[in-house]
Each structure stands twice: as C-alpha cells, then as structure tokens.
Amino acid sequence: MFQTYDDTADPTLGAARVARLRSLLKEEGYAGFLIPRADEHQGEYVPPRAERLKWLTGFSGSAGLAAVLLDSAAIFVDGRYTLQVRTQVDTDVFQTCHLIDMPPQVWLAKHLKGGGKLAYDPWLHTVDSVKRLKTALVETGAELVALPENLIDRIWEDQPEPPAAPVTPHEEAYAGEEAQAKLERISATLKERKVDAAVLTMPDSIAWLFNIRGHDVSHTPLPLSFAIVKKDGTADLFIDERKLGPETRNHLGNIVAVHAPDAFGVNLGELGENGAKVQIDPASCADWINAKLLASGANVTHGADPCELPKACKNAREVDGARKAHERDGAALVRFLAWLDENAPSGKVTEIEAAKQLEAFRAESGLLKDISFDTISGAGPNGAIVHYRVTEKTDRALGPGELYLVDSGAQYLDGTTDVTRTIAIGKPSAEMKDRFTRVLKGHIALSMARYPEGTTGAQLDALARMALWQAGLDFDHGTGHGVGSYLSVHEGPQRISKAGHEPLRPGMIVSNEPGYYKTDAYGIRIENLQVVTAAAMIDGGERPMLGFETLTLAPIDRRLIDASLLTADEKAWLNAYHARVAKVVGAQVDEKTSAWLAEATRAV
C-alpha cells in the first residue's frame, strides 16, 4: 500500500554514468564533483528528483556523499550503511569509506594533489559542510567552486519533476497550539537574540510553525518550502502555490504572506539591502542562501533554527496524541506478531510478505496516513544490515533457527510511531539468547533512568551499552533519536548517542533502541519510543529529576531472554511493562489474539 519493493537503482550503470560525469568535468575544466544525498532543505527524506546519489551510485541509504574525481571516486557512509553500501555500489568504481574512519575531507586532501577546481552544488551543501571542505582543501591548493547548475541534472535525462503535492491544515486539536501563538513565540525569540529575521530552511519547522502538513516526500508529511520569520511577528512563506487549495489558504489567512519559490532569492536580497541582521542555522542552511545574504549586504549571524527546540518539546495535547497513536499501533503490532507466530514456522513467509501484512494490520484502523519509513524487514543475515531495505531481489523466507528483525512505524494525525522487535523463528541458539538479553538489559537500563535537569543524551548513552561492553560487544549506531508529532520520525535537536549534547527536556520524544549485529548471521534490536517526563520526588531527594514514560506497547520475545542474566529490578520492569501491554492492547484485539498476547506477556 505505502511501500514499494522494487530496486530501481542499478549499480551496473554506475561505471557508465561516472564516465559521463567525468567527460563533463573535463569539458568544464573541473577536477571533481561532490554528490551528497540531499536536497535544498538538507532533510533525511528527499523527493525522487533529488535522489542524485542513488542514480549515480546505486546506494539507496538516507545519508551519504560521493566524490568523483577524474581518476578516482569514493562514497562515504555512516555505520548504519557499511554493509549495505558494499552490496549496492560497484566497488570497482567507488571506494567505500566510513565517515568516521575516512571522512570526505581527509580523502579529498589525499587525492586532490596538484590543486584543481572541486565543484559542488551550493544548494545541496550546508554552510558548515562547505566550511569544513574549504579548510581541508587549503593544503592541497585546490579551489572549491560553487556551480549555478548541478552537473548530475545535466546528464540525468529522465530526472523526475519537482513535487507539487497538496498541503493541508493540521488541526489545533492535534497541534495543541494555534499557528499565530507559535509565530509570536518565535518572534519573541528573535527579539531576545537581537536579530531582525530568521531564515527557515527545514520543512518540518515550517510545517510545525504554520500548522500545515504536505506530501512532497515519502512517509513524512512535509511541505517542501522556505520561510522568513521577522521579529515584528510577520512571516513570508515561499512555496509552489499549486499545493495550496482554498482550505489551506483560508487556514493560513493573514498569518503569513505567501510567495512563489522564485521570490525567495529576491526577498533574501531585500533583507541584505536593508542591512538586516539575519539568523541562519549553519548546520542545515544551504550554502547558496548564506552566499546570497552576504552578497546583498546582510549581517548574517549563526544560531539554531528557532523552531527546532519548541517543536521537540511536545505540548500536553501532542503527548496525549502520541499515547493514543501508540495504543492504536500496539494493537496492529500484536495482531501482526500473533500472525507471524502462527505462519512463520512454515518457512513460507518472506520478508516482503511480513512487511505487507504489518502494513495491512495498521491500515485496518482506518486512521493510518502512511508508514513513517520503509519497513526494515530482515531475516537471518539481512537483519545484520542496520538499515536493510528489502527488495524483490533480496527478499528471502524467514527460516527456522533464524532471527527476524522488523523495524517499522506509522504516521497518524495524532502521532508518529517507530518500533523494533526481534523475533525467534524456531529455537534460538544460546548465543542469540545471550546477545538478545544483553541488548534487553541496556534497553531496560535506559528506560529506568532517572536524571537531573540538564542531562544530555550523551550522558545516558552508556547505560544502553554497558551489558554489551561487559562482553566485549557494542553497536555502531546511536541509541536514540528524537521523533516528531505527525512529522519526521527522526527529529532533533535531542538524541541519545555519544554526540547527543542537547539537554533532555519534558515533552521530548526519543527512541530507545540498542542492538547487536553479527555480520552474515543475524541482527538484534529492541526499540520503544519514550517521552521525557518529570519524575516523582523520592523521600530525601534534593533535586528535581526527569525520567521516561514508555509509549510503545508491544511484547518483547520471551523466547530470546536468558532470565539468569536479568537482575530482580530488570525482571520487575519487564513484567510490569508486559502487564501494561496486556491490559491496554488486550482490550483492542480479538479473543484469539488476546489469548496469544496473554502467553507472550507472561511474567518472567
């Protein structure tokens, strides 16, 4: 219904396409060109037109960068994609590099000998990333050159058109705050920061601020657009007006002045001509915007997107909506897990069939707007690929003695979900149970955490890893990410990882998803979403504390638990969680499924 399983990227075409790109580089006198997996808004999800990296290399991950020089080429990915990239990309053409072990700057400094002009599209690189590149290239004598037109666009004959999907109002019943009130809050922030205006480049910020949602990218209800917010409370929205029907125009009313996208550059220029002090977020703002402002005379200052933090701290209506969305989603998940237990032992259920069945159970609620990302449905060795995306080519049956990892989510008007469960198909090995239980111990440790105000995700990250570390094990991804409210399933600024430096605040929703991955064998991940709450004061306590309320409601596979490795407190948490799942979800499912759930949530 919502996910496709064809793999249109063909790595065998990479060599020919790279050859065409190199021919163009020689014609134009450039030493190389950079191709990020990005669009003008620097979001995780991009429209088909912006899938330039996939078109050139075959890599379909949500983050990456390719550098094509006249005599060498490389693709850079993070730890989620180190296995996937080798299966999707022609390694005779591209060197595959880990972003940490071999950053693009280091690789370029090594391979761009003798200078030359390295070209890039300034719409697809942030201010921060361009600064890092320029610093890295100083010693090589190479020059970083911004191009007026993307070179891939010149050789991609059947490149899709820009999206123009309808934009709809997001009702206050779900948003919990009127757009005008949000705009007044942001304007007050600009006054505090002593800036005249802020440029908003992230569509999720724009969607949140004006209480609108769109359909320009898969699985995330984003209206691709730009906005300028001013300290006097006025705002300008730059969007393809074909997206705006009468209802949406009426909703926007006098809150914001609507302009065509072509007017964006003109308005940036006017800010500069008026000597305005303009704030951009260098981590997400396209280099083109920064250059335009500077060239027009604006006083450009750097700061975080003013919408990012208030968007992350959900109000009471949004938190209540998230609870309801997870209760509804929990019923679909339990029906799916019961179905899987009944059908998977036959050896005939495939990864695609399982993913489709899960979507179908969610859709039966009548309230599903979309899935929140392509379902990760990985059996056996495919589960070891952290962000595996099943296709018709890679689809395999769930075999006996294997583990099946399913990471999925849904978009409802009242909330966004994201949940991972690992299920034993048949009898698991002792090693599988040991690894699973260690992942579970980390998950429980983070769920039970109490911490003072000001605590960051980086300070909590080790809790989820400790049981693995004690066995000489670890996982190569963050422990948790922020989640939006009928918005992006990956939201900042909060995250639980070694690099999570934003303090956690009440109302923030984060994932809790430690894992373990054995290459070519199996993968394990247990993921719940949880909301930051004020913790109850305890006798003798001196400082206010925060904690987590778990939102996700789905059983954790007891067959994979080695109870001897769990402490009494860990067993108590697991039994209480399962009792809650049985009570809340059991009332929403049929009698047969309810009986299955009672066994699945039996006390350890």
Side-chain angles (χ1 to χ4, degrees), residues 341-527:
D341 255 16
E342 182 178 351
N343 291 275
S346 69
K348 297 179 180 179
V349 176
T350 69
E351 294 168 334
I352 288 180
E353 182 184 359
K356 286 183 175 180
Q357 188 63 56
L358 178 52
E359 280 189 33
F361 282 130
R362 282 186 163 121
E364 286 178 12
S365 71
L367 298 174
L368 181 68
K369 306 301 289 185
D370 199 343
I371 55 175
S372 55
F373 55 95
D374 283 333
T375 298
I376 298 170
S377 178
N382 288 341
I385 303 173
V386 179
H387 273 211
Y388 170 69
R389 180 181 181 275
V390 58
T391 68
E392 293 171 356
K393 293 179 182 178
T394 65
D395 189 28
R396 69 192 301 275
L398 281 58
E402 292 186 338
L403 298 185
Y404 171 60
L405 187 155
V406 56
D407 186 347
S408 67
Q411 292 283 12
Y412 304 103
L413 287 174
D414 50 4
T416 300
T417 72
D418 181 5
V419 51
T420 307
R421 288 295 181 264
T422 305
I423 301 105
I425 308 300
K427 185 178 180 180
S429 68
E431 180 189 89
M432 290 173 176
K433 294 180 69 173
D434 175 87
R435 303 302 190 256
F436 183 91
T437 307
R438 291 181 184 280
V439 171
L440 176 60
K441 287 171 71 70
H443 179 91
I444 294 173
L446 188 56
S447 299
M448 295 175 63
R450 291 173 61 96
Y451 47 93
E453 294 177 356
T455 299
T456 67
Q459 291 171 293
L460 298 180
D461 183 70
L463 295 176
R465 301 177 188 268
M466 190 61 66
L468 288 166
W469 285 353
Q470 288 172 339
L473 309 169
D474 202 355
F475 53 94
D476 196 13
H477 60 74
T479 298
H481 55 82
V483 177
S485 181
Y486 188 42
L487 272 176
S488 177
V489 74
H490 290 162
E491 175 181 89
Q494 76 278 21
R495 55 178 168 161
I496 300 174
S497 75
K498 297 169 186 175
H501 302 306
E502 181 68 35
L504 297 175
R505 295 173 173 84
M508 287 181 168
I509 295 176
V510 292
S511 67
N512 173 358
E513 51 181 309
Y516 170 76
Y517 310 91
K518 186 173 183 178
T519 302
D520 297 327
Y522 59 86
I524 295 168
R525 188 159 63 250
I526 303 171
E527 177 186 16

